[in-house]
Amino acid sequence: MLDDLDKELETRGHAFCRYADDCNIYVGSEKAGVQVMASITRFLAEKLKLRVNVEKSAVDRPWNLKYLGYSMTREQKPRLKPADTSVERLKTTLKEVFRMGRGRSLARTIATISPILRGWGQYYKLSGVKTIFKELDSWIRRKLRCLFWIHWKRPRRRYLALMKLGLEQETARCSAGNGRGSWWNAGAKHMKRALPNSYFDSHGLVSLLKMMQAVC
């Protein structure tokens, strides 16, 4: 039924993108957006006998909106990127896995998040902004380092673990007893040295940035 909407928008010469009942129409100004929204709402109601969901409809800049999980950069030549809400939704999902990971091995935690990351990376492979993927990779590795710190529990065990992972005795001793929390330590130099990015790569952790670069 919405094919009639497509034909109407084409007849009017509007740039638009529609998937099922989700449609974005692109115009040159806010005033034009308000006018087009009003006229298209009337067309849907009077010609197609359909009702527009006012709560989900808006006139706004493309970079303030999302469409099928994507948004755009605020540039003269905009690029696609994952919407902020999509990034936060992914983090929420992963946080739940990491909470369960406090009583699991690293291998099991990575095995659990790998299909989530592959699916997310594949869906957003059209993105032209690599910074988001790089920051997510960094955040995920920090969460995993945090799990190590929690697993080790006591300063003595942390000291021995850091030594085993290649840190100097004095560095391992000072780091293990610094009294800071797990999240702080997960982002500190001693944990990045003990558990570098290559460590997680060797254990099969999916890199969202590498997935994006492979597509590009």
Side-chain angles (χ1 to χ4, degrees):
M1 194 173 207
L2 285 174
D3 287 346
D4 292 336
L5 172 62
D6 297 344
K7 293 174 183 177
E8 178 69 16
L9 292 172
E10 289 172 357
T11 299
R12 298 186 186 192
H14 292 312
F16 70 96
C17 184
R18 182 179 69 81
Y19 181 82
D21 62 349
D22 197 354
C23 183
N24 278 8
I25 304 171
Y26 303 99
V27 293
S29 67
E30 182 179 358
K31 182 179 179 181
V34 172
Q35 293 172 344
V36 170
M37 184 173 179
S39 63
I40 291 300
T41 298
R42 285 195 302 271
F43 172 81
L44 290 168
E46 297 172 4
K47 298 288 186 179
L48 303 184
K49 308 303 180 184
L50 298 173
R51 185 177 65 180
V52 173
N53 189 327
V54 179
E55 293 181 358
K56 293 184 178 180
S57 301
V59 175
D60 207 338
R61 300 291 187 183
W63 50 82
N64 292 331
L65 302 173
K66 69 171 183 174
Y67 180 67
L68 301 179
Y70 277 93
S71 186
M72 296 182 183
T73 58
R74 188 172 179 171
E75 300 169 334
Q76 188 171 4
K77 187 176 180 181
R79 294 172 292 163
L80 286 175
K81 67 170 188 174
D84 292 343
T85 52
S86 301
V87 174
E88 288 306 313
R89 193 178 300 115
L90 173 64
K91 284 187 172 184
T92 298
T93 300
L94 294 176
K95 283 176 182 177
E96 183 59 33
V97 178
F98 292 136
R99 275 194 289 270
M100 295 186 294
R102 295 185 179 187
R104 295 178 176 179
S105 66
L106 173 68
R108 188 175 176 186
T109 299
I110 288 179
T112 302
I113 67 174
S114 288
I116 299 173
L117 296 177
R118 287 195 186 95
W120 199 88
Q122 281 295 320
Y123 185 82
Y124 290 103
K125 64 184 179 182
L126 298 177
S127 174
V129 183
K130 67 179 183 180
T131 305
I132 294 174
F133 293 77
K134 183 178 180 180
E135 289 175 350
L136 279 170
D137 278 349
S138 179
W139 179 82
I140 290 166
R141 288 190 295 264
R142 186 170 180 177
K143 294 293 285 188
L144 291 171
R145 292 186 182 104
C146 189
L147 289 180
F148 273 93
W149 195 260
I150 293 171
H151 284 166
W152 293 336
K153 293 183 180 179
R154 299 180 180 280
R156 174 65 179 174
R157 188 175 176 186
R158 289 167 180 164
Y159 165 72
L160 294 174
L162 291 172
M163 286 278 289
K164 187 175 181 180
L165 288 168
L167 264 64
E168 300 83 358
Q169 183 176 2
E170 184 61 20
T171 301
R173 184 187 64 78
C174 293
S175 300
N178 61 36
R180 300 270 191 165
S182 56
W183 182 247
W184 185 91
N185 277 282
K189 289 182 179 180
H190 57 269
M191 285 297 281
K192 290 181 179 179
R193 284 183 56 201
L195 299 167
N197 296 351
S198 57
Y199 178 90
F200 297 109
D201 292 340
S202 67
H203 282 76
L205 179 64
V206 173
S207 168
L208 293 172
L209 179 60
K210 288 181 180 178
M211 286 184 66
M212 179 194 175
Q213 291 174 332
V215 172
C216 297

